[in-house]
Amino acid sequence: IDYIFQEQTVLGPGEKVLIVPIDPAAFRTKYNLPTSQRISGPFTSQLSNTGERVALFKPDPPQLPPHPDAGLVPYILVEQVSYSPDSPWPSGANGTGAALQRINPLQFADDPSAWTLDTLAPVPALRVDWDGTSLVLRWNAVTDQLLVLESIGSPTATPWLEVAVIEPGVVSRSVSTSDLARFYRLRRR
């Protein structure tokens, strides 16, 4: 995969940008992401489940005359990781739809302990419908693994409570009227 950011792309401290394989607007809609989440793309090809090197480079000032490579823009390696599906890397991301997520940006990217399995990978387009008699949670089908529906009374409360385990391919669930004043999320199991 090669992806080149648009010129003058600047990230603030701790800011994240998703690099996605489809049109960013379509990705935002598909996964119901807020407009505050920065998204860039698309990139082509895909990362390998069997391990690969991912590197981030930044441009250095161009070479100036009389240098023999005048006009050449050298690139400087900023960060790289060579991940693997094997121990000591977190297991479970190989082909499951889950992803590796960096949990400690202060550790070297190549350190497996700086990463965890992201079980909160987005489930496409969770939405709520009122059918006239009950509240129905709907989402795009996920055919490759189980989902877990969780709820909580306040967005700042903990912990999330498991409401149900959703079988692959299921696309909706009714919620009783006694549970209307709750927040819901889906995560991949």
Side-chain angles (χ1 to χ4, degrees):
I1 293 173
D2 283 323
Y3 181 76
I4 298 173
F5 287 92
Q6 293 178 350
E7 284 190 40
Q8 306 303 318
T9 298
V10 176
L11 296 177
E15 188 177 7
K16 299 174 184 174
V17 61
L18 296 176
I19 312 299
V20 300
I22 62 174
D23 174 71
F27 188 89
R28 183 180 309 283
T29 300
K30 180 177 181 179
Y31 292 103
N32 198 25
L33 296 174
T35 55
S36 59
Q37 173 62 60
R38 290 182 66 178
I39 304 173
S40 290
F43 66 82
T44 56
S45 192
Q46 63 185 16
L47 293 172
S48 172
N49 285 328
T50 61
E52 195 160 342
R53 175 182 177 253
V54 178
L56 177 65
F57 293 87
K58 71 176 184 176
D60 204 21
Q63 298 292 331
L64 300 174
H67 193 281
D69 292 327
L72 175 74
V73 178
Y75 282 81
I76 300 169
L77 178 65
V78 175
E79 183 80 276
Q80 73 175 358
V81 58
S82 295
Y83 66 89
S84 168
D86 302 321
S87 183
W89 284 88
S91 63
N94 187 354
T96 67
L100 291 175
Q101 179 180 6
R102 193 165 180 187
I103 55 175
N104 189 344
L106 300 178
Q107 284 180 267
F108 289 112
D110 258 356
D111 183 348
S113 69
W115 297 81
T116 188
L117 184 65
D118 179 10
T119 58
L120 294 174
V123 175
L126 176 63
R127 60 197 176 278
V128 178
D129 294 323
W130 176 256
D131 68 5
T133 58
S134 63
L135 190 68
V136 181
L137 302 175
R138 298 186 194 281
W139 55 89
N140 293 346
V142 176
T143 58
D144 58 347
Q145 67 187 113
L146 296 172
L147 299 175
V148 177
L149 177 63
E150 296 176 323
S151 74
I152 202 163
S154 160
T156 58
T158 56
W160 285 82
L161 302 173
E162 186 175 297
V163 174
V165 175
I166 310 294
E167 296 292 325
V170 175
V171 295
S172 69
R173 178 169 177 96
S174 294
V175 177
S176 73
T177 53
S178 64
D179 288 332
L180 291 181
R182 297 194 63 79
F183 293 84
Y184 292 90
R185 74 178 182 189
L186 280 173
R187 68 174 174 84
R188 296 175 190 261
R189 175 169 267 182

